[in-house]
Amino acid sequence: SSRACRVSVVVPVVNEEACISSCLASLGALDPPPLEVIVVDGGSRDGTAGRVRKARARRVALIETDFGSRAKQMNEGARVAKGDFVMFLHADTVPPLDAVSLVDRSFADPRVVLGAFTAILAHEGRTMWGMNLLHQAKTHLGACFFRPMAAARGMKVFFGDQAMVVRREAFVSCGGFHESLSTMEDMDLCVKMFYGIKSLEAGRTSLQQSRGKQSRGARLVAIDRCVHTSGRRVAEWGSLKSLQLFLVLSLSYAFGASPSALNELAGKVYSEIR
């Protein structure tokens, strides 16, 4: 349908030479195709930008920046996007072939402002079932730990490797991703869009600012299909360390850590913020 083609795909990249070509090939196979694909490079030092230029098709655009911040990269991509819906896709994530139609159906209710797929992590032919189950629990039960009433009203917690999709009008209205965050910007966006927070006070996360607020009827939906995501980071760190990093950062956010404190913590535990 004409509506189904009004999906823009934004791919934030930094040093993704190894997988950007396959990412663009998977997007080129989508049926129906997205309106456009916008690759936002955050200052790669490898051949990422060159591979995008070589693979550039009619619907693929490249924006080169020195941001080095995924939140800023995704906001920049959404700023120039023409679609009614914007999918934020990691370069190592493969969406289903009918992803555009699935977005169209999932956002048929005008109250839906944010959605995401189910991520299936795998590496070198091995499916990481433990991490996948954690993902599922986090999506549907995570909000219970810090906003139980909001969770009862449908609040969900999505992360970037689930190919998050936003209604662009609502995304722009709330100011997009929190650019002061170099980590947890995806979880923060879930809170921000659920509560309809339109402006952030300096030095505070959306969760900190949401205290005492009521949802304005916005809906967050889990799109009923899987995306396949590389488990390369889990393989690099190991399952136990990956679980530890996830719990430390997510619980720090949930218990009210400031953006600067979260960034400092992330700097200690991550070798590279993707």
Side-chain angles (χ1 to χ4, degrees):
S1 71
S2 59
R3 278 194 60 193
C5 295
R6 295 192 309 202
V7 178
S8 297
V9 181
V10 171
V11 186
V13 295
V14 175
N15 298 327
E16 293 287 11
E17 180 181 14
C19 53
I20 188 59
S21 296
S22 58
C23 172
L24 295 177
S26 70
L27 290 172
L30 297 185
D31 184 19
L35 178 66
E36 59 190 345
V37 175
I38 303 167
V39 179
V40 186
D41 193 300
S44 294
R45 298 177 301 277
D46 62 2
T48 300
R51 287 184 179 269
V52 175
R53 291 191 196 97
K54 287 181 182 178
R56 186 177 293 180
R58 183 169 58 89
R59 290 189 174 94
V60 178
L62 171 65
I63 300 175
E64 295 183 76
T65 76
D66 59 359
F67 290 155
S69 160
R70 191 164 59 192
K72 292 180 180 179
Q73 290 169 248
M74 293 188 288
N75 282 347
E76 178 64 16
R79 185 184 68 80
V80 302
K82 301 179 180 68
D84 295 324
F85 312 106
V86 181
M87 178 191 297
F88 299 103
L89 186 75
H90 288 187
D92 60 358
T93 299
V94 178
L97 293 176
D98 57 346
V100 173
S101 295
L102 290 167
V103 170
D104 180 49
R105 292 201 294 270
S106 299
F107 282 76
D109 183 342
R111 296 173 298 173
V112 175
V113 296
L114 173 63
F117 294 81
T118 296
I120 299 296
L121 275 70
H123 181 67
E124 296 181 345
R126 180 173 68 89
T127 301
M128 298 174 169
W129 292 112
M131 297 303 293
N132 293 329
L133 288 172
L134 176 64
H135 249 309
Q136 280 287 83
K138 173 267 304 173
T139 293
H140 297 284
L141 302 176
C144 295
F145 292 100
F146 59 91
R147 286 288 186 275
M149 294 303 295
R153 296 188 181 100
M155 183 178 176
K156 295 176 176 60
V157 175
F158 301 127
F159 281 171
D161 53 9
Q162 293 178 254
M164 294 170 66
V165 185
V166 297
R167 189 179 297 276
R168 189 169 65 89
E169 182 180 14
F171 178 82
V172 170
S173 176
C174 78
F177 287 99
H178 195 328
E179 293 191 355
S180 294
L181 288 168
S182 62
T183 186
M184 305 305 293
E185 75 285 345
D186 32 25
M187 182 173 174
D188 189 82
L189 183 70
C190 296
V191 176
K192 182 190 276 192
M193 297 194 74
F194 181 79
Y195 285 104
I197 298 171
K198 297 190 180 297
S199 60
L200 286 172
E201 299 171 11
R204 303 185 74 193
T205 65
S206 297
L207 183 64
Q208 290 174 309
Q209 199 163 319
S210 70
R211 290 191 177 93
K213 292 185 180 293
Q214 296 291 328
S215 170
R216 299 181 179 179
R219 291 192 60 209
L220 278 58
V221 299
I223 300 173
D224 189 20
R225 195 68 65 84
C226 296
V227 294
H228 292 270
T229 298
S230 170
R232 55 186 171 156
R233 300 303 180 197
V234 177
E236 176 187 345
W237 295 328
S239 295
L240 288 179
K241 183 179 179 181
S242 298
L243 177 60
Q244 179 185 21
L245 297 181
F246 166 77
L247 290 175
V248 166
L249 287 171
S250 58
L251 290 176
S252 295
Y253 178 89
F255 284 104
S258 67
S260 59
L262 287 165
N263 294 343
E264 182 179 355
L265 181 60
K268 293 178 180 178
V269 298
Y270 278 143
S271 59
E272 179 178 329
I273 298 297
R274 294 182 52 249

